[in-house]
């Protein structure tokens, strides 16, 4: 291990202590086009070396293939890593635009057994409900998840894309360690209700897509023109057509701040997200996704960047100007129900 390891933060009042930045592993198997397995394995090792200990996956990522891919790494470093996976969301392979959500108790039990087998572990450190099925009372779903804790199959519970009210209802059943939602310079809807509820209840925020699915890095300008046909981002409204053209212009202040610090656009975007822990008074552990060791090091370095008040003011208006929703169907998000 090196001296450049990142500091730590606690997930929830009784949850695990993890590095203040985690690693989203979805793209190693799913959604963003082909990834190199060897390079992905090197990225996992590099992340751990730098103090990244929270590794995020889900049963929906590649229909379980992401969990299988990560299993050898987790087994090799079981006492050093916090394994986070999810249930509730399935994506039909013949139609990647569709989402099927299930929160019913029998399905939860079926899902956890399948994830335990694919991961080849006895216990999942952090088990998230990936999306909310409004037809099943959240108390019923979380009640079943709490049973998994008592049975020793799961250590801590998490929720993804829930509203502030849903988080409070869940917390009344069993302590929630973390809430995962999209949070970035482009997506700030959770600050209205979810963030205050999390702060009040002592729940950590785990922002996914803190780099706007790569758009905030400047790596692509229009998903339909720049990305492969199997890339999930081609289905997201803000990355295509006139929306993409309008949103590219919003990167100018990010670029100006990056030039002032001599860093990348990605590092500015991550530094902004990391700062939200101080702004809102709660633990914030973003999980930028990458399959490249160099990008891991770049992302982790963002935890040491301090943005000035003037730079923060320059970045503040961006989210309010973004064209297009983050999903074609926002009913699957907390913003779609708030």
């Amino acid at each position: 291990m090196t001296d450049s390891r990142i500091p730590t933060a606690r997930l929830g009042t009784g949850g695990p202590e993890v590095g203040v930045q985690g690693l989203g592993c979805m793209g190693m198997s799913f959604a963003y086009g082909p990834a190199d397995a060897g390079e992905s394995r090197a990225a996992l090792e590099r992340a751990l070396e730098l103090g990244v200990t929270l590794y995020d996956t889900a049963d929906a990522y590649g229909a379980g293939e992401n969990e299988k891919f990560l299993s050898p790494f987790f087994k090799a470093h079981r006492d050093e890593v916090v394994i986070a996976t999810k249930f509730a969301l399935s994506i039909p392979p013949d139609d990647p635009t569709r989402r099927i959500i299930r929160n019913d108790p029998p399905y939860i039990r079926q899902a956890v057994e399948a994830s335990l087998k694919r991961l080849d572990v006895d216990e999942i450190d952090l088990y998230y409900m990936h999306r909310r099925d409004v037809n099943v009372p959240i108390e019923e779903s979380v009640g079943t998840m709490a049973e998994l804790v008592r049975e020793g199959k799961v250590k801590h519970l998490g929720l993804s894309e829930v509203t502030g009210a849903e988080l409070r209802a869940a917390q009344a059943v069993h302590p929630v360690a973390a809430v995962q939602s999209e949070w970035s310079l482009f997506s700030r809807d959770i600050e209205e209700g979810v963030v205050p509820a999390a702060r009040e209840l002592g729940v950590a925020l785990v922002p996914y897509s803190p780099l706007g699915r790569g758009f905030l890095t400047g790596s692509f300008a229009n998903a339909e023109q720049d990305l492969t046909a199997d890339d999930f981002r081609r289905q997201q409204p803000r990355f295509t057509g006139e929306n993409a053209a309008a949103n590219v212009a919003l990167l100018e202040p990010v670029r100006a701040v990056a030039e002032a610090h001599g860093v990348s656009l990605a590092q500015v975007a991550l530094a902004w997200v990391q700062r939200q822990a101080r702004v809102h008074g709660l633990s914030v552990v973003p999980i930028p996704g990458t399959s490249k060791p160099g990008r891991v090091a770049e992302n982790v370095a963002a935890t040491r960047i301090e943005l000035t008040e003037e730079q923060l003011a320059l970045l503040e208006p961006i989210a309010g100007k973004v064209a297009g929703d983050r999903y074609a169907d926002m009913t699957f998000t907390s913003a779609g129900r708030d």
Side-chain angles (χ1 to χ4, degrees):
M1 298 298 179
T2 69
D3 293 332
S4 58
R5 287 169 62 88
I6 56 177
T8 61
R10 188 165 297 282
L11 301 182
T13 54
E17 191 168 333
V18 299
V20 293
Q21 187 180 112
L23 181 63
C25 301
M26 178 178 75
M28 296 179 181
S29 309
F30 171 72
Y32 297 146
D36 181 275
E39 192 171 45
S40 294
R41 285 190 286 270
L44 293 167
E45 296 287 351
R46 182 62 173 141
L48 186 60
E49 180 184 22
L50 293 172
V52 173
T53 54
L54 177 64
Y55 294 81
D56 186 88
T57 182
D59 60 3
Y61 300 162
E65 290 304 313
N66 195 237
E67 290 179 325
K68 292 179 184 177
F69 174 77
L70 294 169
S71 176
F73 171 74
F74 291 154
K75 286 180 71 67
H77 302 286
R78 189 64 191 96
D79 295 335
E80 302 169 83
V81 301
V82 172
I83 301 171
T85 193
K86 316 178 193 73
F87 75 89
L89 176 64
S90 63
I91 303 169
D94 60 336
D95 185 0
T97 64
R98 285 186 62 216
R99 300 289 183 271
I100 299 171
I101 300 175
R102 288 186 62 180
N103 291 174
D104 55 284
Y107 180 80
I108 295 172
R109 289 194 163 276
Q110 172 189 328
V112 75
E113 295 297 340
S115 284
L116 286 166
K117 184 177 181 179
R118 285 188 294 264
L119 292 165
D120 195 16
V121 296
D122 296 324
E123 191 173 35
I124 294 165
D125 299 316
L126 178 59
Y127 199 43
Y128 286 101
M129 186 172 77
H130 203 163
R131 290 293 187 271
R132 172 93 168 91
D133 179 358
V134 296
N135 297 309
V136 179
I138 196 165
E139 295 86 354
E140 185 176 331
S141 302
V142 176
T144 301
M145 296 169 72
E147 291 173 4
L148 301 180
V149 175
R150 291 191 287 273
E151 294 165 12
K153 296 175 180 179
V154 171
K155 286 185 181 178
H156 306 285
L157 303 186
L159 301 169
S160 180
E161 289 287 1
V162 293
T163 66
E166 290 165 347
L167 174 56
R168 289 187 175 92
Q171 181 79 359
V173 175
H174 188 278
V176 176
V179 168
Q180 189 172 130
S181 192
E182 188 164 352
W183 198 8
S184 73
L185 284 168
F186 264 30
S187 299
R188 297 179 59 180
D189 48 79
I190 66 168
E191 293 174 24
E192 185 70 24
V194 182
V195 171
R199 180 179 62 243
E200 170 194 324
L201 299 171
V203 177
L205 250 296
V206 177
Y208 72 81
S209 298
L211 297 175
R213 301 194 182 277
F215 194 84
L216 283 163
T217 72
S219 60
F220 72 98
N222 185 301
E224 292 172 312
Q225 298 171 8
D226 302 337
L227 304 178
T228 58
D230 58 347
D231 197 298
F232 166 70
R233 291 168 288 188
R234 291 167 65 100
Q235 303 161 24
Q236 295 184 296
R238 60 179 49 169
F239 302 141
T240 59
E242 293 181 358
N243 288 344
N247 292 335
V248 164
L250 299 179
L251 298 182
E252 287 310 308
V254 185
R255 189 168 284 109
V257 175
E259 290 174 357
H261 282 272
V263 300
S264 68
L265 275 70
Q267 289 173 309
V268 171
L270 284 172
W272 181 89
V273 175
Q274 300 277 179
R275 186 184 173 90
Q276 300 314 300
R278 278 186 283 163
V279 172
H280 295 281
L282 75 171
S283 291
V284 176
V285 182
I287 48 170
T290 185
S291 59
K292 296 177 170 56
R295 292 297 185 200
V296 167
E298 177 184 332
N299 291 346
V300 165
T303 63
R304 298 186 289 274
I305 297 171
E306 287 288 340
L307 302 176
T308 68
E309 292 300 325
E310 291 78 8
Q311 290 166 347
L312 291 166
L314 193 64
L315 300 172
E316 180 66 24
I318 291 175
K321 299 177 181 178
V322 173
D325 287 329
R326 47 194 178 98
Y327 292 100
D329 184 353
M330 288 291 286
T331 61
F332 296 125
T333 72
S334 58
R337 297 190 305 278
D338 250 338

